[in-house]
Amino acid sequence: MSRTVLLLHGLGGSAEDWKDVASALPKGLEALALDFPGFGKAVRPHDSYDPGSLARWVVGEMDDRDVETAVVAGYSLGGRVAAELALVAPKRVAAIALFSPLGAVSYGFTDTLKWKAMSRAALVGATPEATLKNALGYGFTVDGPGKRAFVARGLKARTGPHAQAALRALERSVDGLLAAPPLKKRLAGTSLPLVVVTGADDPLAPPRDVEAILEARRDARYAKLPGVGHYAPIEAPKEVAKLLAELAKKG
């Protein structure tokens, strides 16, 4: 019997971000990558985009697909939601893997302004294509086909027929993240098997911030991937698949 590995993407991403990880998972693990509302192919928006609301949306998707429990992995926004899922529906989660999760610690004034500025729908929608391409590529260390495909998908989402839904989802997701309690606090007292992973060169979720989670969960496995930025599932899919396979054995 196969075990489901539920895969949650990051800000501005989609289920496609996990394609190479899914193909690298060993036999016995079945990947289920979701598009958050307003992202990827899920063009219909959601009422609320705070991590708790998105986690409850994930539970609904699991119900619709008859998935009782799963190993849950997320990167960036998906990492924050994966952690929240383990809190709002712990019986549905066998283990969690957080890759460069956003919101590990509270955001200061300067960082809050930065995130607000680069996620406002009106500003992003009016950004020239060349500038938008550069912005979409920010956070990558590995410059390869995975990055180019991500940038192309992101550009299409922000300029295509469903751009309004995508921009709204981006803006409201950032607002939800900024208002949510930090993971350092949320994960205190939890006991589910946990892997925390960061890219050594991640500028969006710096290792020093992600490592703060370990203060709450000293039993968690921690890995820092050298030469990797914010997008481990795209930049290092084989390493990510290996970590998930090892985690699935514990969950």
Side-chain angles (χ1 to χ4, degrees), residues 3 10 13 17 21 26 104 107 111 122 140 163 174 188 196 218 223 225 229 245 250:
R3 162 162 282 184
D17 300 348
V21 173
Y107 290 104
D111 284 335
F140 279 91
V174 167
V196 179
R218 297 186 182 279
L225 302 179
K250 298 180 180 180

Side-chain angles (χ1 to χ4, degrees), residues 10-218:
L11 280 171
S14 72
E16 286 292 312
D17 300 348
W18 291 97
K19 182 179 179 181
D20 290 340
V21 173
S23 64
L25 289 174
K27 185 178 180 180
L29 296 181
E30 182 179 354
L32 173 58
L34 300 178
D35 283 320
F36 286 128
F39 294 94
K41 296 178 181 178
V43 296
R44 183 177 179 179
H46 194 48
D47 292 335
S48 301
Y49 282 86
D50 61 275
S53 294
L54 289 176
R56 288 185 285 275
W57 174 86
V58 171
V59 173
E61 293 296 303
M62 293 175 71
D63 290 342
D64 290 344
R65 291 166 170 77
D66 295 323
V67 176
E68 185 61 30
T69 61
V71 173
V72 182
Y75 84 87
S76 186
L77 167 66
R80 181 64 181 82
V81 176
E84 199 68 27
L85 184 64
L87 291 160
V88 303
K91 294 182 179 180
R92 310 295 296 273
V93 180
I96 52 176
L98 311 181
F99 295 89
S100 294
L102 296 177
V105 296
S106 297
Y107 290 104
F109 180 74
T110 300
D111 284 335
T112 296
L113 288 181
K114 178 184 72 175
W115 279 105
K116 288 272 190 180
M118 65 185 188
S119 63
R120 299 306 89 183
L123 292 176
V124 177
T127 299
E129 182 174 316
T131 303
L132 188 55
K133 284 183 177 180
N134 289 333
L136 287 164
Y138 180 70
F140 279 91
T141 298
V142 178
D143 187 8
K147 174 185 175 181
R148 291 191 288 274
F150 177 88
V151 170
R153 290 193 298 271
L155 186 63
K156 182 179 179 181
R158 287 160 177 76
T159 60
H162 304 293
Q164 185 176 2
L167 294 172
R168 177 178 181 269
L170 176 66
E171 179 175 313
R172 297 194 67 185
S173 295
V174 167
D175 290 346
L177 280 166
L178 294 173
L183 283 178
K184 178 182 175 181
K185 291 184 177 180
R186 291 295 284 158
L187 287 172
T190 61
S191 58
L192 285 168
L194 171 64
V195 171
V196 179
V197 185
T198 181
D201 302 319
D202 189 344
L204 296 171
R208 66 178 180 276
D209 291 347
V210 175
E211 289 164 6
I213 295 172
L214 304 179
E215 298 174 21
R217 287 292 307 269
R218 297 186 182 279

